[in-house]
Amino acid sequence: MSIVISKAEKDISKNRTLVMYLLTGSLVILLMMVFGVLMLLAQGKMIDVDPGFFYEILTVHGTGMVGSAALAAAAVMWYFLSKYIQLSKGIFIANFIFFILGVVLVLTGIFVYDFAGGWTFLYPLPAISAGGWAVEGAVLYLFGMLLIGIGFLLLFLDVARAIIKEYGSLGGGLGWSIVFGREKGYGPPAAVVASTMVSIVNITALLAGATVLVMSLINMVIPSVKIDPLLAKNLTYAFGHIFANSIIYMGVIAVYEILSQYTNRPWKANRPFLIAWNCSTLFTIIIYPHHLLMDFAMPKWMIIMGQALSYANGLPVLVVTAYGALMIVYRSGIKWDIASSFIFLSMFGWVLGVIPAIVDATIVINHVMHNTKWVPGHFHMYMGLGATAMLFGFMYYLARVNGKGKENSVDAISFWVYVMFFMALCGSFLFSGKVSAPRRWAEHFPEWIQYDRMGAVFGIFVILAVVTFVTRFWNFSRSLNSKLEEKIGPGHHA
């Protein structure tokens, strides 16, 4: 007997796939926060951690936090973008499978074979650990990263394919006819514009990352095949910088869509909005050299470009989005809840996190500050109060629109605990950078320890708040399963 599945049932089934992404992403984010606090406790001499194990935790923390946040942000993009274009659910699921397989290999390489080369896996470090880890660990880590990258590459290629099919070209998705004055009015929906930008920059980033990963793997099997180390570093940071930054560009789609719904005001893609996204598309790809300002072997023109365009890149999309968020909320009579509060918070976190980043992108400051905790300070602020706030806001939104998101005082208290203590955590990192506390060191001098201890305490409160958010979403996922079984019966999941 055939089973006819209604639109409502298909929506529930689609939401189950989204929940799979978001629950996995949020649980890994929570685990990475635990690892982060463990490192602070170790640096603050509050617990005793073997330095070798510290660097393993450091490696998994950086890799896992960016990977899990990217997974959850991809779910945000896919959910809203699928309202406008036809995306492949099969590719969406395939990306998740590649992600899980890659994570298993990465964790095995780190915790079974002691790989501790950091997320940057800088060539030729994975192959010459001086006995720090087994070569099998490096191979597993690199191959796991490659699998994760393949999954995301398939996803963004599918996004690009669907946009080209609907709008004729990627330029159509970026509203070029409006930008160059061939047409008047408004461009594609904001979600389409942002997704077009993300697909362009991430396809570029993932190809760069895959190139250096494959070459590193070949070098480990055939040592006579070598890579130019400076080229390898450029490819690595081009991949890492672009991919990490794309998280907030995927997450910001939730700002456009959710605030529009809450205020009943459409977010229109006018010409300044489109110009801003086109500028960021170009700048995001070419500003990564600001990570290489300390490399004297870099061509001087690339260093100057990295500094100058780093100033410019943070402004176009941020300004039009932050200003647009203020204007769309102003006198709208919006009803604030946890979802809308997180979404609005993310604009504040994005603005705040960009300021120390621009400071660090200045060459004379970078030479002093870049290898200190100033950098984790800006990045945690940008990610924790910006990108991750978007993800938590979307999780509460998804629960609300499916009828199960009943908030209580615990949610509100957890929200404010998260905001205040995350800001304090970032402040402890920035102050550590001010007193020259180095990042990526397992051992700290006594004058740095007070900031480590404060950060550990602040981090514990952040973790407690995030436990509330993840638990709430876990309960929602269970209710969604029950709802689907009521619709189509157990054993007939779409």
Side-chain angles (χ1 to χ4, degrees):
M1 183 178 68
S2 63
I3 299 174
V4 178
I5 302 177
S6 67
K7 181 181 181 300
E9 290 161 357
K10 288 180 180 178
D11 287 342
I12 295 171
S13 178
K14 183 178 79 171
N15 285 341
R16 288 186 71 210
T17 308
L18 289 163
V19 165
M20 181 173 66
Y21 264 72
L22 292 165
L23 200 55
T24 301
S26 60
L27 283 170
V28 177
I29 287 172
L30 178 59
L31 180 60
M32 295 306 107
M33 288 179 172
V34 172
F35 283 147
V37 168
L38 285 176
M39 287 190 289
L40 288 169
L41 290 170
Q43 290 171 328
K45 310 296 184 185
M46 300 171 77
I47 61 173
D48 187 27
V49 173
D50 178 77
F53 185 62
F54 176 92
Y55 293 116
E56 291 176 29
I57 295 175
L58 180 66
T59 300
V60 78
H61 177 76
T63 307
M65 190 63 81
V66 171
S68 56
L71 186 77
V76 175
M77 179 189 69
W78 200 87
Y79 176 84
F80 290 115
L81 186 61
S82 61
K83 293 167 49 179
Y84 306 105
I85 60 178
Q86 187 66 43
L87 298 169
S88 168
K89 186 178 177 183
I91 293 292
F92 193 51
I93 294 173
N95 177 46
F96 184 81
I97 294 171
F98 273 105
F99 182 85
I100 296 299
L101 291 174
V103 166
V104 170
L105 294 180
V106 165
L107 293 177
T108 304
I110 293 172
F111 292 117
V112 177
Y113 293 96
D114 300 324
F115 179 76
W119 78 262
T120 50
F121 51 85
L122 284 177
Y123 171 87
L125 179 61
I128 52 170
S129 69
W133 54 79
V135 69
E136 293 89 348
V139 171
L140 286 169
Y141 179 88
L142 296 177
F143 190 66
M145 291 285 283
L146 185 61
L147 286 182
I148 293 170
I150 289 171
F152 276 111
L153 182 59
L154 290 173
L155 178 67
F156 292 117
L157 285 171
D158 182 61
V159 169
R161 173 204 59 79
I163 290 171
I164 291 170
K165 182 179 179 181
E166 182 68 25
Y167 294 94
S169 66
L170 293 175
L174 287 172
W176 282 6
S177 60
I178 305 295
V179 170
F180 295 112
R182 293 195 297 269
E183 295 180 17
K184 296 188 180 296
Y186 299 103
V192 173
V193 176
S195 299
T196 305
M197 179 269 197
V198 169
S199 64
I200 292 171
V201 301
N202 264 346
I203 289 170
T204 305
L206 290 163
L207 288 174
T211 300
V212 72
L213 284 167
V214 170
M215 289 304 296
S216 294
L217 285 166
I218 292 172
N219 170 258
M220 297 183 78
V221 177
I222 311 172
S224 60
V225 178
K226 300 185 182 299
I227 320 169
D228 178 81
L230 188 61
L231 173 61
K233 189 171 185 180
N234 274 264
L235 289 170
T236 300
Y237 276 97
F239 154 68
H241 175 82
I242 296 171
F243 189 73
N245 274 264
S246 75
I247 295 170
I248 209 161
Y249 293 124
M250 289 187 281
V252 78
I253 296 171
V255 177
Y256 298 144
E257 292 284 336
I258 293 174
L259 287 185
S260 293
Q261 290 185 31
Y262 272 65
T263 60
N264 199 28
R265 293 174 174 176
W267 196 303
K268 296 179 179 179
N270 57 24
R271 195 181 185 197
F273 179 90
L274 295 169
I275 291 173
W277 274 99
N278 275 270
C279 287
S280 280
T281 303
L282 176 63
F283 292 167
T284 299
I285 294 174
I286 60 178
I287 66 168
Y288 77 87
H290 70 215
H291 287 282
L292 308 174
L293 297 179
M294 300 179 76
D295 290 88
F296 61 86
M298 284 288 291
K300 185 174 288 187
W301 68 268
M302 291 188 71
I303 298 296
I304 295 170
M305 179 186 70
Q307 174 177 308
L309 294 184
S310 291
Y311 294 162
N313 182 59
L315 298 177
V317 168
L318 177 58
V319 168
V320 298
T321 302
Y323 178 77
L326 289 171
M327 290 301 97
I328 206 169
V329 167
Y330 181 66
R331 291 188 174 180
S332 67
I334 185 174
K335 182 179 179 181
W336 294 102
D337 59 11
I338 302 299
S340 56
S341 297
F342 261 124
I343 293 300
F344 205 71
L345 166 70
S346 68
M347 292 293 92
F348 169 75
W350 192 359
V351 172
L352 205 62
V354 162
I355 295 170
I358 290 177
V359 170
D360 183 63
T362 304
I363 293 175
V364 293
I365 297 175
N366 185 277
H367 285 172
V368 178
M369 302 293 286
H370 193 71
N371 281 335
T372 72
K373 279 197 171 182
W374 181 272
V375 171
H378 108 72
F379 191 72
H380 280 75
M381 192 178 293
Y382 176 87
M383 288 293 291
L385 295 174
T388 309
M390 295 172 184
L391 304 180
F392 290 143
F394 177 67
M395 287 160 62
Y396 271 92
Y397 166 81
L398 197 62
R400 187 185 70 83
V401 298
N402 283 277
K404 298 291 183 181
K406 296 180 180 179
E407 300 167 4
N408 55 36
S409 57
V410 175
D411 295 294
I413 293 170
S414 297
F415 171 81
W416 286 109
V417 166
Y418 181 86
V419 174
M420 302 309 296
F421 283 96
F422 212 109
M423 287 181 64
L425 173 66
C426 295
S428 73
F429 285 141
L430 293 174
F431 273 100
S432 293
K434 178 179 177 294
V435 298
S436 299
R439 57 188 176 124
R440 304 192 184 116
W441 280 26
E443 297 287 335
H444 277 186
F445 292 141
E447 53 266 39
W448 302 330
I449 287 176
Q450 59 178 324
Y451 300 107
D452 299 327
R453 291 177 175 175
M454 286 191 292
V457 173
F458 299 147
I460 289 169
F461 280 97
V462 170
I463 288 171
L464 293 175
V466 174
V467 167
T468 300
F469 309 147
V470 176
T471 301
R472 177 70 68 190
F473 196 71
W474 172 266
N475 291 334
F476 159 67
S477 70
R478 293 174 61 191
S479 70
L480 196 65
N481 287 339
S482 301
K483 196 171 180 180
L484 182 63
E485 291 189 355
E486 289 174 9
K487 289 282 186 182
I488 63 178
H492 295 95
H493 293 174

